[in-house]
Structures are given as C-alpha cells and as structure tokens.
C-alpha cells in the first residue's frame, strides 16, 4: 500500500504548508500504536531462531494442516452504475460462490477458513479425486476477532496430502466504508440533447483487501503465506465493465429474464489473498501496448481530458527499468491501474491491477503543480516496486511488513530517478527525518516484531506506520551504503530470484546479501531491525571521546544494547569521507576525532546515510555554524539540513541548548537550497506551534520575516510573472518562500497574493499551479467572506482532484471563526467533503491557530459519530487526535485531555485509548519544554531583531 493513510497524505501536506504546518515537525504520533516498549522490551541481537507459526489458543491464526492450492470464485454484484428509465431499482447486495481446493496434512474433523461480515448460506466438502461428498454436521462463524468460519464434519478428513474441495455460497453487502468490496460514487458530466451539461451521480463497486479484508468478500484462507492461484468470474450489469488481477473476457447472458455480462478472468499466478482486486464500473481507459499491456482506467471525463497520459508514459518506463534492475520479468499478462474517487490510503499494489486515489494517478498539465506530477511518479514507482517486493516475494507474516513497504519506499526513489526525477536526496527530508520523530518516542516499535505479537487485524493495521515505511527505507539505504549499492542490488536480484512466488522472513534477505559482500550483514543489521529506537552519537572533539545512547525525546533512559554504527565523517582540513564502525556503547576514545587546530571542525554522518543523530561539544557546533556562515558550500547539502534537524531535536531531548540550534538557522540568509530550508522550517514550525498564542510569537515572526526576505526576493520575479525556476527543488523552495513570507506578514507577499486572487475572482487565474496552494491560502487568510465563498464555489465546481485539494486546503486558512466553524460542519456531509478527506480537512483547520480550539471542540463533540461512522482500519483516529492537540502545552489543555480520557474510559472506548495516552504524554512533555525554554527562546529572538 502506498502509505495506507500515511504516504500520500503526508506527502500531500509536505509542500507549501509550512509555518502553519509541515510534514513532520510534529508528526510525532501520526499513527496509533498498539505496541509499547514495555510490551516489547529490546531484545539482544542477534538470536537467529526459526520462528514457528503459532497455532492453538490463544492464537488467532489458522491451523496449518490445510494448504490452499486454488480457488474458483464467482461474484455477482447487483449494482447499476447509473439509475435511469431502464434501471430503476438499485441494489447493493452481492452474491457469489467459491470452491477452494486444499491439501490436507492432518486427520481432522474440523476445517477453519476466514469469513467476516458475510453471510454464508451453503457449505459443502468433497474429496477431490473421488467426488465423494463428506457429510457436514454444521458450520459457525465466530463473532470475535478470529473471523473464523468453523466447519464441522461427521467424518474425518485424512492427512497425507489428500485433496478436498470446499464449496461455499455467500451473500454480502457493498457498503460505503472503503474496505472489502465497497461502493463508491462520482459525478459525471452528461451532455443532454439540448446541449446543457448535466451532472449525474454514478456508482461503482471496488475492493481494498489489504491486510485482512479478503475474508469480507469470500470465505478464504486469508493469510499472506497461504498463497494459491485464483480463477475469478464476475457477473455484472450491462453498462459496466469488470476488472480483476488478470486479463478477462466478457460475454452476455440472461438470468431470470434480465441481461447480465459475465467476465471470466484468466487464472492468476500463485499469490496472497490480500493482493486480489475487483472493480465494476462504467470507467473508460487508455492503453499502451507494450511487452506488457498497460491500461489506465478512470472517469471518462478524466481520460478524455488526457489526465492519464503522464501515468501511462511513466508506467511503461518504470516497469521496464525494474525488470532490468531486478533481472526478472513482470509475470502477468497486463497491468491495469485505476484512479478511484474513494480509497483509504494513497494506493494499493494489487497484483496486475493497482488502485490509486485520483491524485496519485491522474495528472492535469493545465492545473497540476510540479509536486502533483511528482506525486504521480512517486506513487507509481512505489506500487510498481511492490509487484516484485510484496507480490512476487511476500513476507511470511505481517510482522515483517517492513520488507514490503520499506523496499517499495526505498525503490521508489530509484525508480523515479530513472524517469527524470532527481529526488534521491529528498529521502532524508521525507522519510528519514520523519522516521526519526516517531522512533524517538517510547511508544515506537522495532521494525520487525516477533510473529506471535501481531495477531489481530487491528495489530496488523497499526503496523502500516512511519516506522514500517520510512524507517524501513532508511535502514535499507544505510545498508546499501554500508555494503555498496552495487553489492546491494546484486543481493536483491538473488533474493527475488530465489524466493519468487514464495514467502520470506527478513533473515532470508541477509543470507542473499551476504553472498555479495564480505561484511557481516546480519550482525550489522540485527541491531537496527530487532531493537526499537535509534542512537544519538555524542562526539567530544577535544578528547575524541565518543559514545552512543538511545535517543528519546522524553528522557526516560533508553535501553542498553549498542547499535553497530557506521560513522562516516569529514573534517575541515581532510579531503574525502572516512569511515569508522562503532560497535560498543562507549564512551570510547577515537583519536582521529580529536581536533587540535582551533578552526578545524568535524562533521559525522555525511549525507545522513546512517539512521542516527549526532551531537557534539558546543565548540564543534559553533565551528560548524561559523563554517556555514563563512561558506556553506563546504558542508554537504544534505548535512546542511541534517545539522539543523539534529540540533533542534537534540535540544528538544534536553541534550543541547536550544540557542545553538536557533543560531544555526541564521546562515540561511545566504542559502537558497530547499533541503536546509525545509529542515529549518519544519523545526521552527514546532516553536511556532508552541508559541503562536503567546507574546513570543511577535519576535519569532519578525525573525522569520527577516530570514525569508532574501529568499522571497530571490524568487520574486518568477512569482510575479508566473514563471517558475527550473530545478524542482528550487520550485519547492519558491513555495516555501511564499508561504513563509505571506504567513509572517511580509507586505509585498500579501499584496501580491491578494492581487493574483482578485484577478482569479474576476475570471483569469494567472497563478502558476505550483503556487496556488500558497497563494490561495494567503489570499483567503487576509480576505473576507466573499473570497471564501468564491473559493468554496470553485472547490465544488472543480473536477480535477488536485485542484480541489488545493482549494480545500486554502479554505482552512481563513481567520474568521464562523467560517471555520461552518467549514467543520461541512466535513460531516459527504456530498460536500468526501469521507476520505474528512480527517485531512479537520487537520488543516486545526493547524490554523484560529481553528485549533474549534477543531478540538468539534472532534470532542462528534467523537462517537466519528468512531462509529469510520471505525478503526478505515482512517486513523489517532492522526485526528494528534492533529487537533498539536499545540497543547498548557495545564488547562492537559486537564481537558484527561477529562476526555475519563469520559472515554466510562464509555468503554478502547479505540482511542492508545492515541489518547500518546497525546497526553506529548502534552506533558510540551508543558515541561515550554516552561524551561520559553524565556530563553524569547530572549534569543528578541536579540536577533
Ligand atoms: C433503455 O433501453 C432501451 C432499449 O433497450 C435503449 O434503447 C436505451 O438506450 C436505454 N436507455 C438508457 C438510458 O440506457
Ligand atoms: C457458482 O455461481 C455461478 C454463477 O452464479 C454458477 O454458474 C455456478 O454454477 C455456481 N457454482 C456452483 C457449484 O453452484
Ligand atoms: C472466538 O469464539 C470462539 C467461539 O465462540 C471461541 O471458541 C474462541 O475461543 C474465541 N477466540 C478468541 C480468541 O476469543
Ligand atoms: C498416512 O500415512 C501413514 C504412514 O505413511 C499411514 O500409516 C496412514 O495409513 C496413512 N493415512 C491415510 C489416511 O492414508
Ligand atoms: C445477512 O444475514 C442477516 C441476518 O439474517 C440479514 O439481516 C442480512 O440482510 C443478510 N445480508 C445479506 C447481504 O444478505
Ligand atoms: Zn506500499
């Protein structure tokens, strides 16, 4: 999945939302964790044991004596795409039947399959070779989280690899809940006879089965290691087409006097249930015949407007490139990709039939920004990487989900580079710095947990988090650097080749990499995979003394086991990067870290290839700062950003004076590069959140205005005449310049935004798509009710999702309380704000200092509606709670949270318990931090005026 609810959303807010927000600054608790360090104390690395699949109580796993081989499944959804004179009775029921052939390895009287929210009406068991029917005593569906369908037989099935066919008939309902087989809607423009365009509502049925929702569609063995081949047939209404993983052929039939279409799909390769996909819609498509047929499916309006063109061109290139670098041909006959109006999460990598949010697949040259275009490239590269990592080679159980997602995330940077997006360095901003945030909390978890700790669907869903995706990618990048990228890619080829169509645990990967390198990969990596957290390396350059300890924001004493740290460092007078492998906790003396010369500095973790932070003695920090001020080009670009990120966070972790971190930002007056700016703005954003309701905010704004002015002027011409810089990172920094300058009150910026918006209201939108988010936001922030109403109308009128999203964001920027309150109300009406956009819209409003208390009251007031309507697994309520309480840093707010917690406990609301605990913990930390630092921060900013 493309960052279930993580990747696309956080990428989407990553650009141009600074000062009032930012990607991570505080995305501390973006996800509800069920796992806590107390429950999973760090384990001593490495203890190579072969984990057995746990069976028997209290397990929630299927017993292992039945091995599915093949399924033959029929589905019949009764839905019409449109209601008209001919079709008047809409129905959301689907029926079907399934025959699964299993090999029995043990004598038994019971058979277990998975079923959830599905009515099973018939169960039959036959011995495959003789067609002999076994007598079924009865069957029950467990009403607990096991989701078992238990079939009891009158006679025993034999073991020894005997084959049986299990036949079930079932009935289900297409809900609007974005999970399983669900219904979704969109608006189609219809040209009526008298040339008047008319909006018509259209419906479609589509699926999202990861991780444990295949069981909601048909009874099956719903675990990733229970791979089988699937023969799917869909019977659907005229006027729709049906799609699934493999190619299909359609013909008409009549059932009870009604016309239907039967689409029979070719048998899939052997695969996991969670990767199946089905859609019935009236979409059209665009194709590109290639060695693999590539089709992009979407609303007809979008296809006709050419919005699929970019995706089709990229898909072909990236697919070919992956086939080359993985040395394995893509194994299916075609690859379909579909842009869905509603999907939870950014995209889903179903084998041969990938589904996306519209903004992840469709790109409109006219209204799309560079970032919108890049998002399409990144998403496609991520999902295509899954066709190998995840689909062809699958983790044995969800505890190793990072193998899927870490690889797809890491590979996406390599995949997009091949199609002209040089984003390699941005992995540090987007993945690594974000992973650092989450992994510095007590509530983080190791990348790979023991198999039996992850059992329920909720526990599985919670693993789709920043650790799995971003830390997963970060440690793979670290490993590739450690053993060289060449050796890494060779090892990957061996791994994919050896385990294709099979399942793996992460140690299988080490064994393949070991063949390519002399390094002991397992010893190096086990310290990063098996234990929670990451270290901060402290280097005292007067003595060369070096030590490591776990980095935690809230100092509670981390664990004791050292990481194997590959310290790459440079010194002022040396040329080239040097290595030092630190294995022990220390402190140890490293003579080569000792600096004698009074100007000489040392910089460790060059390019931030290691997943650790570095802290130095104050003198070295100062020397680095002076170097930045003297000539910042001497310090590698990534490190200019990372020094700032490390300093601010080490200061938040009470290990460094905050003024040292603040001083590092002063050199930015001379730097125009995106990475250092973005790092600084993310961190300053935390200060803004803490202080934008207090007297410290005035001096902070003045400082930011001063700091941003040269950058704003650097980009000013292109802003005004509507051109943009060439390099895409410059384009992103131009957006930073505008949003920071405008939100901190630079008059030229605000006037310019107002003028551009006025033209837009008068009928000509001359704002470059890159700048729209920032300019709309700034114009609405300084505008009136009529500006807001205009933008709302534009939002409703817009048909391109990315443009809609820009307006939806900008609407949250108004300072008018009553407008913000009404906007919050709109989020409850899916005809105004789509369900999948509800959380991000409330989050936008909460980022606005005027909207924060409203959003908190709103979420509290509608909590039971939100939990009932959306529930766990569809959206993360944790992310919502996180967003509306980000500023919390006073005793009153803490008391409100505790009161809310008491109410939840009385109402027995387990859903929010973990997330609530986390925001309470964070609020307590904030209160402490603000108490200690408010005066210091204020004085520092006053001194800079
Ligand atoms: C309704 O059915 C008639 C006859 O089959 C067909 O000609 C007509 O196009 C259909 N109308 C719609 C709106 O589908
Ligand atoms: C399963 O359903 C399909 C479609 O309704 C039907 O043609 C087929 O006969 C059914 N299979 C069995 C074994 O009943
Ligand atoms: C689930 O329900 C079944 C039947 O009621 C029971 O036998 C089983 O122990 C339950 N399992 C769990 C994990 O609660
Ligand atoms: C299974 O094999 C064992 C030994 O190989 C044999 O004793 C037993 O009878 C066989 N059982 C069945 C049901 O075929
Ligand atoms: C499933 O069974 C329940 C209880 O009998 C019934 O209320 C529901 O309508 C059925 N659902 C479908 C889709 O048939
Ligand atoms: Zn993914």
């Amino acid at each position: 999945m493309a960052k279930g609810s993580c990747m696309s959303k956080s990428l989407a807010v990553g650009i141009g939302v600074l000062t009032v927000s930012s990607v991570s600054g505080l995305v501390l608790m973006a996800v509800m964790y069920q796992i806590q360090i107390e429950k999973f104390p760090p384990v001593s690395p490495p203890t190579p044991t072969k984990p057995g699949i746990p069976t028997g109580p209290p397990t929630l796993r299927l017993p292992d004596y039945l091995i599915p081989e093949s399924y033959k499944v029929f589905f019949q959804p009764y839905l019409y795409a449109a209601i008209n004179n001919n079709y008047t009775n809409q129905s959301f029921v689907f029926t079907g039947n399934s025959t699964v052939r299993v090999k029995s390895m043990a004598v038994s009287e019971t058979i277990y399959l998975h079923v959830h929210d599905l009515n099973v009406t018939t169960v039959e068991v036959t011995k495959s070779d003789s067609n002999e029917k076994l007598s079924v005593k009865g069957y029950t569906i467990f009403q607990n989280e096991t989701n078992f369908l238990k079939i009891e037989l009158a006679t025993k099935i034999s073991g020894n690899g005997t084959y049986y066919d299990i036949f079930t008939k079932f009935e289900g309902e297409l809900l609007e809940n974005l999970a399983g087989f669900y219904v979704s809607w969109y608006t189609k423009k219809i040209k009526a006879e008298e040339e008047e365009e008319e909006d018509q509502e259209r419906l479609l049925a589509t699926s999202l089965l990861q991780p444990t929702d295949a069981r909601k569609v048909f009874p099956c063995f719903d675990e990733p290691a229970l791979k089988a081949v699937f023969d799917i047939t869909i019977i659907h209404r005229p006027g729709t087409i049906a799609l699934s993983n493999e190619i299909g052929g359609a013909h008409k039939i009549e059932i009870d006097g009604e016309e239907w279409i039967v689409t029979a799909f070719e048998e899939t390769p052997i695969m996991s249930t969670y990767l199946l996909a089905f859609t019935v819609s009236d979409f059209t498509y665009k194709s590109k015949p290639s060695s693999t047929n590539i089709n992009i499916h979407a609303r007809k309006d979008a296809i006709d407007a050419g919005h699929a063109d970019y995706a089709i061109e990229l898909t072909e290139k990236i697919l070919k490139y992956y086939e080359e670098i993985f040395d394995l041909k893509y194994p299916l006959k075609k690859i379909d990709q579909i842009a869905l109006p509603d999907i939870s999460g950014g995209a889903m990598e179903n084998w041969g039939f990938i589904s996306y949010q519209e903004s992840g697949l469709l790109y409109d040259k006219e209204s799309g920004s560079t970032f919108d275009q890049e998002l399409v490239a990144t998403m496609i590269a991520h999902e295509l990487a899954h066709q190998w990592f995840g689909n062809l080679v699958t983790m044995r159980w969800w505890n190793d989900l990072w193998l899927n997602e870490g690889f797809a995330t890491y590979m996406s940077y390599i995949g997009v580079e091949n199609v002209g997006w040089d984003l390699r360095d941005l992995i540090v901003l987007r993945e690594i710095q974000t992973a650092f945030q989450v992994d510095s909390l007590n509530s983080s978890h190791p990348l790979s947990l023991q198999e039996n700790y992850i059992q329920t669907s909720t526990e599985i869903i919670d693993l789709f988090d920043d650790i799995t995706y971003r830390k997963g990618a970060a440690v793979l990048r670290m490993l590739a650097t450690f053993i060289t990228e060449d050796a890494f890619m060779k090892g990957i080829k061996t791994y994919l080749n050896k385990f294709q169509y099979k399942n793996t645990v992460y140690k299988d990967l080490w064994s393949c990499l070991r063949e390519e390198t002399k390094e002991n990969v397992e010893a190096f990596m086990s310290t990063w995979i098996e234990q929670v957290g990451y270290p901060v390396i402290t280097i005292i350059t007067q003595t060369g003394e070096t030590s490591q300890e776990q980095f935690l924001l809230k100092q509670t004493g981390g664990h004791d086991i050292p990481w194997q740290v590959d310290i790459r460092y440079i010194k002022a007078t040396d040329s080239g990067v040097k290595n030092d492998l630190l294995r022990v906790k220390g402190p140890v003396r490293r003579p080569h870290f000792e600096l004698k010369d009074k100007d000489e500095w040392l910089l460790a973790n060059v390019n931030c290839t290691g997943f650790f932070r570095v802290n130095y003695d104050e003198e070295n920090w100062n020397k680095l700062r002076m170097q930045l001020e003297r000539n910042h080009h001497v310090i590698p670009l990534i490190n200019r950003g990372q020094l700032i990120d490390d300093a601010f966070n080490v200061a938040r972790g009470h290990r460094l004076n905050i003024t040292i971190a603040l001083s590092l930002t002063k050199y930015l007056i001379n730097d125009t590069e995106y990475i250092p700016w973005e790092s600084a703005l993310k961190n300053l954003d935390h200060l803004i959140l803490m202080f934008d309701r207090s007297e410290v905010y005035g001096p902070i704004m003045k400082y930011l205005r001063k700091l941003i002015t040269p950058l704003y002027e650097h980009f000013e011409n292109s802003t005004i005449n509507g051109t943009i810089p060439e390099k895409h990172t410059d384009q992103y920094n131009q957006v930073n310049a505008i949003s920071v300058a405008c939100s901190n009150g630079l008059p030229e910026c605000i006037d310019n935004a107002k003028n551009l918006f006025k033209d837009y209201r008068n009928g000509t939108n001359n704002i470059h798509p890159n700048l729209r988010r920032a300019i709309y936001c700034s114009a609405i922030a300084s505008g009136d009710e009529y500006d807001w109403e205009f933008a709302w109308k534009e939002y409703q009128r817009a048909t391109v999702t990315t443009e809609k999203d820009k307006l939806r964001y900008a609407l949250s920027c108004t300072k008018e309380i009553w407008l913000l309150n009404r906007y919050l109300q709109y989020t409850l009406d899916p005809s105004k704000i789509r369900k999948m956009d509800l959380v991000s819209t409330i989050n936008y409003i909460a980022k606005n200092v005027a909207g924060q208390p409203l959003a908190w009251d709103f979420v509290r007031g509608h909590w039971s509606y939100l939990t009932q309507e959306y529930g766990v697994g569809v959206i993360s309520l944790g992310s919502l709670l996180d967003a509306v309480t980000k500023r919390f840093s006073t005793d009153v707010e803490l008391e409100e949270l505790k009161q809310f917690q008491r109410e939840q406990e009385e109402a027995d609301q387990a859903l929010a318990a973990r997330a609530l605990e986390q925001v309470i913990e964070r609020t307590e930390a904030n209160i402490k931090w603000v108490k200690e630092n408010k005066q210091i921060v204020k004085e520092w900013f006053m001194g800079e005026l």
Side-chain angles (χ1 to χ4, degrees):
M1 195 163 342
K3 203 65 212 225
S5 16
C6 319
M7 170 168 162
S8 80
K9 287 290 184 233
S10 47
L11 272 179
V13 294
I15 299 296
V17 199
L18 286 160
T19 73
V20 225
S21 82
S22 95
V23 198
S24 75
L26 265 193
V27 185
L28 297 184
M29 336 261 175
V31 193
M32 272 196 292
Y33 296 117
Q34 295 286 319
I35 301 139
Q36 275 199 310
I37 185 165
E38 303 93 69
K39 211 166 132 200
F40 305 114
V43 292
S44 305
T47 27
T49 50
K50 192 173 166 290
I53 297 180
T55 57
T59 185
L60 301 159
R61 300 281 297 276
L62 288 174
D64 60 2
Y65 57 82
L66 291 181
I67 303 164
E69 296 235 320
S70 64
Y71 291 80
K72 184 159 180 56
V73 192
F74 289 86
F75 295 115
Q76 187 170 10
Y78 285 68
L79 180 90
Y80 291 104
I83 292 298
N84 56 35
N85 297 337
N86 295 352
Y87 313 128
T88 50
N89 266 341
Q90 192 59 282
S91 164
F92 296 103
V93 167
F94 68 93
T95 60
N97 65 50
S98 157
T99 310
V100 50
R101 177 157 296 185
V102 299
K103 189 157 95 177
S104 169
M105 303 308 290
V107 179
S108 174
E109 280 178 323
T110 45
I111 289 173
Y112 291 92
L113 282 86
H114 280 120
V115 154
H116 191 200
D117 289 347
L118 200 64
N119 292 352
V120 176
T121 54
T122 304
V123 172
E124 286 167 17
V125 181
T126 335
K127 195 153 178 281
S128 307
D129 56 5
S130 63
N131 266 340
E132 167 202 346
K133 244 193 194 129
L134 279 71
S135 144
V136 174
K137 269 204 303 209
Y139 61 91
T140 38
I141 297 175
F142 289 0
Q143 296 307 317
N144 55 27
E145 58 206 341
T146 61
N147 299 158
F148 285 162
L149 165 65
K150 180 182 182 186
I151 304 171
E152 285 172 283
L153 300 168
T155 51
K156 286 189 166 63
I157 52 169
S158 43
N160 298 3
T162 319
Y163 283 96
Y164 293 91
D165 290 343
I166 305 164
F167 174 77
T168 50
K169 265 189 177 169
F170 50 86
E171 290 173 7
E173 198 181 340
L174 302 169
L175 299 174
E176 239 185 300
N177 60 355
L178 315 188
F181 204 15
Y182 65 94
V183 62
S184 174
W185 57 270
Y186 74 97
T187 309
K188 190 169 189 171
K189 299 231 176 286
I190 303 293
K191 267 251 163 62
E193 270 142 45
E194 53 281 15
E195 290 294 306
E196 277 279 299
E197 270 200 354
E198 187 198 339
D199 284 352
Q200 263 195 19
E201 186 169 272
R202 292 301 168 103
L203 295 176
L204 60 140
T206 188
S207 69
L208 189 114
L209 308 188
Q210 192 184 33
T212 55
D213 283 341
R215 64 191 69 169
K216 285 187 181 166
V217 193
F218 65 110
C220 58
F221 295 86
D222 199 10
E223 295 189 2
L226 299 175
K227 290 189 172 186
V229 299
F230 294 85
D231 176 335
I232 311 273
T233 303
I234 300 181
I235 301 163
H236 51 108
R237 298 289 194 183
T240 59
I241 60 167
L243 295 167
S244 186
N245 303 75
E246 258 300 359
I247 54 175
H251 66 269
K252 284 188 184 154
I253 57 162
E254 215 183 274
I255 304 173
D256 299 336
E258 279 186 321
E259 200 179 286
W260 289 83
I261 299 173
V262 177
T263 303
F265 298 94
E266 288 193 8
E267 198 172 79
T268 67
I270 182 166
M271 63 185 283
S272 307
T273 46
Y274 79 90
L275 291 167
L276 291 168
F278 330 98
T279 298
V280 173
S281 72
D282 69 347
F283 280 7
T284 53
Y285 63 99
K286 192 147 198 168
S287 297
K288 181 144 194 182
S290 172
S291 56
T292 303
N293 270 329
I294 298 166
N295 312 300
I296 310 283
H297 303 258
R299 292 180 284 119
K300 183 170 186 301
D301 300 344
I303 296 285
D304 290 349
H307 297 172
D309 297 0
Y310 184 60
I312 217 161
E313 171 202 335
L314 276 196
T315 303
E316 184 183 25
K317 287 185 188 156
I318 298 178
L319 199 68
K320 275 201 179 122
Y321 180 62
Y322 282 160
E323 288 184 331
E324 206 177 291
I325 62 173
F326 302 149
D327 205 10
L328 268 175
K329 207 179 140 19
Y330 170 77
L332 280 75
K333 296 211 177 76
K334 55 88 180 176
I335 187 150
D336 283 312
Q337 295 180 97
I338 190 166
L340 294 170
D342 290 293
I343 177 172
S344 73
M348 177 61 213
E349 68 265 19
N350 319 302
W351 215 0
F353 182 29
I354 310 173
S355 39
Y356 295 83
Q357 273 185 19
E358 289 198 344
S359 54
L361 191 65
L362 303 180
Y363 172 67
D364 172 24
K365 283 198 286 292
E366 305 301 319
S367 70
S369 66
T370 303
F371 181 72
D372 296 331
Q373 189 179 17
E374 189 222 294
L375 184 70
V376 170
T378 312
M379 294 271 246
I380 291 178
H382 179 107
E383 302 310 327
L384 290 182
H386 273 311
Q387 307 302 304
W388 286 265
F389 292 100
N391 301 7
L392 185 64
V393 178
T394 314
M395 74 262 144
R396 192 174 75 181
W397 182 243
W398 299 104
N399 64 319
D400 270 332
L401 180 64
W402 80 275
L403 275 179
N404 268 15
E405 298 301 349
F407 260 112
T409 305
Y410 176 71
M411 283 302 160
S412 70
Y413 285 86
I414 295 171
V416 294
E417 189 174 40
N418 180 254
V419 290
W421 290 98
D422 178 16
L423 304 173
R424 282 267 192 139
D425 292 352
L426 300 195
I427 196 172
V428 174
L429 280 178
R430 291 185 182 164
E431 319 299 338
I432 300 180
Q433 288 182 1
T434 309
F436 275 152
Q437 292 292 332
V438 185
D439 212 18
S440 58
L441 294 173
N442 280 319
S443 47
S444 187
H445 62 85
L447 264 178
S448 182
L449 291 152
Q450 285 176 42
E451 197 163 327
N452 54 357
Y453 286 142
I454 304 297
Q455 299 236 5
T456 64
S457 295
T458 317
E459 284 163 349
I460 295 167
I461 288 163
D462 284 346
L463 283 180
F464 288 82
D465 67 2
D466 282 340
I467 295 297
T468 299
Y469 282 76
R470 303 179 198 268
K471 187 182 181 182
V475 300
L476 289 172
R477 175 172 176 267
M478 176 167 69
L479 176 61
T481 314
F482 182 63
I483 65 173
T484 76
E485 239 171 75
D486 248 19
F488 183 75
M489 287 312 295
K490 276 190 196 139
I492 292 307
K493 281 186 200 172
T494 315
Y495 171 76
L496 289 173
N497 213 302
K498 185 165 167 192
F499 293 104
Q500 53 180 322
Y501 303 107
K502 298 199 178 84
N503 293 78
T504 56
V505 296
Y506 70 89
K507 281 175 183 158
D508 295 325
L509 178 63
W510 304 161
S511 61
C512 295
L513 289 168
R514 201 165 43 219
E515 291 166 21
E516 301 301 329
T517 164
K518 283 180 198 60
E519 303 285 355
N520 186 345
V521 175
E522 177 150 357
F524 179 71
M525 287 303 279
S526 60
T527 62
W528 299 96
I529 304 293
E530 289 168 11
Q531 60 185 348
V532 67
Y534 62 93
V536 51
I537 309 300
T538 304
I539 301 175
I540 309 297
T541 57
Q542 287 83 11
T543 59
E545 202 173 279
T546 303
S547 56
Q548 57 165 301
E549 62 177 321
Q550 189 189 357
F551 180 74
L552 286 169
L553 268 190
K554 216 180 142 198
Q555 186 56 18
T556 55
H559 57 76
D560 256 5
I561 301 142
W563 283 261
Q564 289 215 8
V565 182
D566 179 25
I567 306 182
R568 289 162 188 260
Y569 66 97
I570 49 174
K571 288 200 254 183
T573 52
D574 286 0
S575 61
V577 179
K578 298 218 168 56
N579 269 54
D580 182 13
L581 194 62
L582 189 70
R583 286 200 173 82
V584 292
K585 191 175 152 75
V588 285
R589 227 176 73 75
R590 295 291 210 239
H592 47 272
F593 287 172
E594 201 177 308
L595 302 176
K596 296 277 192 313
D597 187 317
K598 74 170 180 20
D599 286 333
E600 174 130 271
W601 46 256
L602 177 126
L603 173 78
N605 202 8
V606 171
N607 288 336
C608 197
T609 53
F611 192 69
F612 56 89
R613 294 196 185 278
V614 189
N615 191 13
Y616 310 94
D617 53 282
E618 283 205 9
E619 200 181 317
N620 194 55
W621 277 115
N622 281 326
K623 287 182 193 167
L624 285 164
R625 174 180 55 78
M626 286 187 291
Q627 179 63 64
L628 285 170
E629 285 167 6
R630 214 164 39 235
N631 174 10
H632 58 261
H633 298 288
V634 174
I635 310 279
L637 175 61
I638 292 180
N639 287 101
R640 303 212 292 274
Q642 196 51 40
L643 277 170
I644 292 173
D645 194 60
D646 279 352
F648 271 96
N649 283 285
V650 169
R652 280 178 69 191
H654 306 278
R655 289 172 170 86
L656 183 70
N657 197 323
I658 182 72
T659 57
I660 291 190
L662 288 167
S663 301
L664 283 175
T665 62
K666 282 163 65 174
Y667 97 95
L668 286 169
I669 213 134
N670 289 318
D671 201 342
T672 58
E673 282 289 349
Y674 174 64
I675 290 180
W677 266 104
E678 181 73 15
S679 301
L681 292 174
K682 276 203 266 188
N683 283 291
L684 289 167
D685 194 45
H686 172 237
L687 289 186
I688 292 172
L689 284 173
M690 290 302 98
F691 297 123
D692 65 1
R693 299 172 297 173
S694 79
E695 79 277 12
V696 186
Y697 190 44
I700 295 181
M701 268 173 75
K702 287 205 185 89
Y703 175 73
L704 273 172
R705 210 148 61 211
K706 187 173 92 179
L707 199 64
I708 203 75
T709 303
L711 192 72
Y712 182 78
E713 285 167 355
H714 178 76
F715 292 119
E716 193 169 22
N717 278 340
S718 55
T719 306
I720 289 169
N721 65 27
T723 59
I724 48 164
E726 206 173 311
K727 220 169 52 159
H728 65 264
T729 46
D730 284 345
Q731 295 176 22
Y732 297 164
N733 218 22
Q734 181 185 21
V735 176
N736 275 342
I738 293 169
S739 58
V740 175
C742 280
S743 61
N744 288 288
L746 192 73
E748 304 95 282
C749 183
I750 294 173
D751 290 346
N752 183 44
K754 275 183 164 164
N755 287 335
L756 286 166
F757 197 74
K758 201 164 85 197
D759 292 346
Y760 179 22
R761 278 190 61 179
N762 291 335
T764 35
N765 189 348
N766 286 327
I767 309 162
H768 189 280
N770 277 8
L771 312 181
R772 285 187 186 169
R773 245 176 112 93
I775 302 265
Y776 293 169
C777 173
S778 166
I780 285 172
S782 57
D784 57 17
E785 176 192 348
Y786 302 101
D787 292 318
W788 199 95
E789 294 296 352
F790 170 74
W792 175 250
K793 288 223 174 63
E794 286 292 289
Y795 165 77
Q796 289 187 303
R797 205 170 63 88
T799 53
V800 179
T801 307
T802 50
E803 181 67 15
K804 257 186 151 51
D805 283 344
K806 294 181 180 87
L807 289 157
R808 187 165 57 83
Y809 162 70
L811 288 165
S812 74
C813 299
T814 177
K815 300 281 181 263
E816 296 292 340
I817 305 290
W818 69 276
L819 286 174
L820 288 168
N821 256 331
R822 195 180 59 181
Y823 194 26
L824 279 167
Q825 292 299 331
Y826 286 179
T827 63
L828 297 177
D829 178 353
S831 71
K832 291 193 165 75
I833 302 288
R834 280 190 176 273
K835 275 191 179 182
M836 68 169 186
D837 293 333
L838 171 129
V839 169
S840 61
T841 307
I842 299 176
N843 290 1
Y844 291 153
I845 294 170
K847 271 166 196 155
N848 180 340
V849 64
Q852 151 87 64
L854 314 178
W856 165 232
D857 285 346
F858 181 82
V859 167
R860 263 195 299 182
H862 295 88
W863 189 251
S864 63
Y865 170 81
L866 293 170
T867 51
Q868 278 159 24
E869 188 74 359
Y870 293 93
V872 70
V874 181
I875 54 148
S876 174
L877 289 164
S879 134
L880 191 60
L881 261 183
D882 168 60
V884 297
T885 63
K886 261 194 178 131
R887 279 190 181 77
F888 281 17
S889 51
T890 65
D891 293 326
V892 175
E893 285 159 342
L894 179 64
E895 189 37 51
E896 281 181 12
L897 273 174
K898 287 188 169 163
Q899 174 63 30
F900 184 59
Q901 188 183 38
R902 282 191 292 273
E903 286 162 15
Q904 297 314 306
E905 276 164 9
E906 278 158 28
D908 214 11
Q909 270 283 11
L911 267 185
R914 177 79 54 213
L916 254 175
E917 243 168 64
Q918 290 179 330
V919 298
I920 288 173
E921 180 190 335
R922 177 179 63 186
T923 305
E924 285 165 349
N926 284 346
I927 292 172
K928 180 165 183 273
W929 191 87
V930 167
K931 270 194 191 121
E932 285 168 13
N933 288 282
K934 186 170 176 183
Q935 200 54 29
I936 301 169
V937 169
K938 184 173 154 189
E939 276 164 21
W940 189 88
F941 280 107
M942 302 279 280
E944 290 304 314
L945 296 184

